[in-house]
Amino acid sequence: MKWETALWMVACLLFASLPRGQADTTCHAFVGDTVILPCTTTSPGELILSNSILYWQIGHSVLVHFFDKGNDSLGLQDERYNGRTSLFLDQMKHGNFSLKLSNVQLLDTHVYTCIYKQTGDHPKQTQKSKINLIVSAPPNIEEPPFPSGHSQISSRIPADAPCLAMLPLAFHLLVALAVWHL
């Protein structure tokens, strides 16, 4: 995995931990990368996945990923996303409904909606999150030689990436999560 991809994944996952009152999240990716679109529930405790419905969609008609009663149900998934989406099944019972989108394309630039609803004896209110994904073409990596024998570090990170400001906090979050899992 490229370090840039890992950087974006960490930053986007960090935004998933923000309180639900925050504005919608924007994630950035480059063509060919893998991106994680964050979505978490505010429900306390462990969720019963057999009583859970999760939609990832664009607008009201494009189904990106569907999870119903404990299983992926991708029969009606839009063909553009076939084989490129997955959920973190081992983390869903703890409320992580983030979507992993692989081999990102320019046409993947959209506002994605994550819709979660618990069914069963005690249905809960529907929870929605909107994530704006902006996909960019990779910059031209050919750079002119730097004078005086100095080297120049090439950066593929867009200048308008708001996720980068949160990286120090992301590092502390990852350390805390690692300690918590021990």
Side-chain angles (χ1 to χ4, degrees):
M1 177 185 317
K2 300 177 206 167
W3 71 270
E4 294 97 342
T5 302
L7 185 71
W8 287 119
M9 292 170 114
V10 168
C12 288
L13 280 174
L14 173 66
F15 279 105
S17 67
L18 294 174
R20 290 288 99 198
Q22 295 291 331
D24 292 338
T25 300
T26 297
C27 289
H28 297 264
F30 290 104
V31 171
D33 283 350
T34 296
V35 67
I36 296 175
L37 304 179
C39 181
T40 58
T41 182
T42 56
S43 298
E46 195 168 296
L47 301 173
I48 301 170
L49 296 182
S50 61
N51 291 339
S52 297
I53 298 173
L54 175 67
Y55 293 87
W56 273 94
Q57 63 188 30
I58 300 169
H60 296 290
S61 60
V62 179
L63 183 62
V64 176
H65 199 98
F66 182 54
F67 181 87
D68 185 27
K69 298 181 178 108
N71 295 300
D72 285 328
S73 182
L74 304 177
L76 298 175
Q77 180 184 43
D78 187 281
E79 64 184 36
R80 293 177 295 170
Y81 296 95
N82 187 19
R84 299 194 302 130
T85 63
S86 62
L87 302 171
F88 297 89
L89 298 176
D90 60 329
Q91 298 175 25
M92 288 182 68
K93 65 184 175 186
H94 302 294
N96 181 359
F97 302 130
S98 300
L99 180 75
K100 180 178 174 182
L101 179 59
S102 303
N103 191 21
V104 175
Q105 303 300 311
L106 285 174
L107 293 175
D108 293 336
T109 296
H110 288 287
V111 174
Y112 292 78
T113 304
C114 171
I115 303 169
Y116 170 74
K117 180 159 181 69
Q118 191 161 4
T119 61
D121 295 335
H122 304 288
K124 301 200 178 190
Q125 182 178 353
T126 300
Q127 296 181 21
K128 293 183 182 182
S129 297
K130 290 188 181 261
I131 296 85
N132 184 25
L133 174 61
I134 299 172
V135 181
S136 304
N140 186 355
I141 58 172
E142 293 181 29
E143 297 175 2
F146 206 73
S148 311
H150 293 91
S151 63
Q152 183 177 2
I153 298 174
S154 174
S155 174
R156 291 179 29 163
I157 302 170
D160 63 344
C163 296
L164 288 180
M166 302 297 288
L167 286 179
L169 184 57
F171 175 75
H172 292 290
L173 176 66
L174 290 173
V175 170
L177 287 173
V179 170
W180 182 69
H181 278 33
L182 293 179

